[in-house]
Amino acid sequence: MTGISEDADRQATSGSSPTPDDPGAGRSRARSLGRYTVTGLAGVLVGAGAASALWATGLVTYGQTPDTKGYAATSDLCADAKLKALGGALGDPTSPEGDHWEHDALDISTCFLRLESAGEEQPYNALIHYRLHKKTDPAAEFEVYATDPGYLAPEDAEFRAEPLGGLGDEAIELVADDGSGIKTSVRDGGAVLSLTVYPSHQQHSISEDSRELIKSDLADLLAALKK
């Protein structure tokens, strides 16, 4: 088993970058789920009343072993993530930094990449998180995880979350209205994978045309993680 520091582990499970030079590393994570515009979803339930409702309706699936569907832990998520679609549009993946942690109940892998084109002074960033749940089904918590922007955008950014078809059992796109980033998350059985793309400089933006590129690269990565 290879270990990562406690801080890096917290970052890996919260949607933040594990790298110290992340342009968003100094941003506060104090965000309210109430800020999101959730389209076509049941919405994020928060508070004691919601928690009681989850238990009462059986939505909390603790003790239920998830179907891993052939997914396996990876010691080098950056090597698995080719990002061919994004690379062709935004620049080749470079400067990989990743880590992983394996446990009987949960495997976590992270990868941070820069997407750099020749002559481009401000590259785009790609942050990938992969969690393989082997003891507890992540279905009940997936929507909360998928709609957490982490360090994705400035504090005053507004987001919209939309369901996405064609990936795994369920997938959600979280799009910053100001173009400061897109996070796409997918759950397939016990595997939860997210890809966040955002510009290195806040004066730049990422086009919504990149959404199909992100979806394509996530589909390829899901296939690669079935080893």
Side-chain angles (χ1 to χ4, degrees), residues 88-100:
L90 301 180
D92 295 330
T94 64
S95 308
E97 296 185 45
D99 216 330
H100 79 288

Side-chain angles (χ1 to χ4, degrees), residues 122-211:
Q122 300 292 342
Y124 291 87
N125 300 319
L127 178 61
I128 309 168
H129 290 275
Y130 172 52
R131 299 183 300 169
L132 183 60
H133 298 254
K134 297 177 287 187
K135 298 294 185 181
T136 304
D137 194 331
E141 65 187 36
F142 173 71
E143 186 176 321
V144 177
Y145 168 77
T147 54
D148 175 13
Y151 296 127
L152 180 60
E155 279 299 298
D156 58 352
E158 295 291 334
F159 301 88
R160 67 182 187 276
E162 301 174 357
L164 178 66
L167 283 177
D169 292 329
E170 57 180 327
I172 296 174
E173 286 182 314
L174 186 65
V175 182
D177 289 338
D178 62 359
S180 56
I182 299 172
K183 173 185 175 182
T184 304
S185 305
V186 56
R187 180 189 66 81
D188 196 19
V192 177
L193 181 66
S194 71
L195 172 55
T196 303
V197 181
Y198 59 99
S200 294
H201 199 283
Q202 290 185 13
Q203 293 180 346
H204 289 202
S205 63
I206 180 168
S207 168
E208 291 200 19
D209 293 341
S210 299
R211 294 165 69 177

Side-chain angles (χ1 to χ4, degrees), residues 71-93:
Y71 290 100
T74 177
S75 61
D76 194 346
L77 185 60
C78 289
D80 294 321
K82 306 304 182 184
L83 302 188
K84 292 181 179 179
L86 283 169
L90 301 180
D92 295 330

Side-chain angles (χ1 to χ4, degrees), residues 33-34 44-55 60 144:
L33 287 176
V44 179
L45 300 176
V46 294
S52 299
L54 286 172
W55 284 108
V60 175
V144 177

Side-chain angles (χ1 to χ4, degrees), residues 3-25:
I4 56 178
S5 69
E6 184 178 352
D7 287 341
D9 184 24
R10 283 198 297 268
Q11 290 172 331
T13 57
S14 65
S16 61
S17 170
T19 60
D21 61 342
D22 179 1

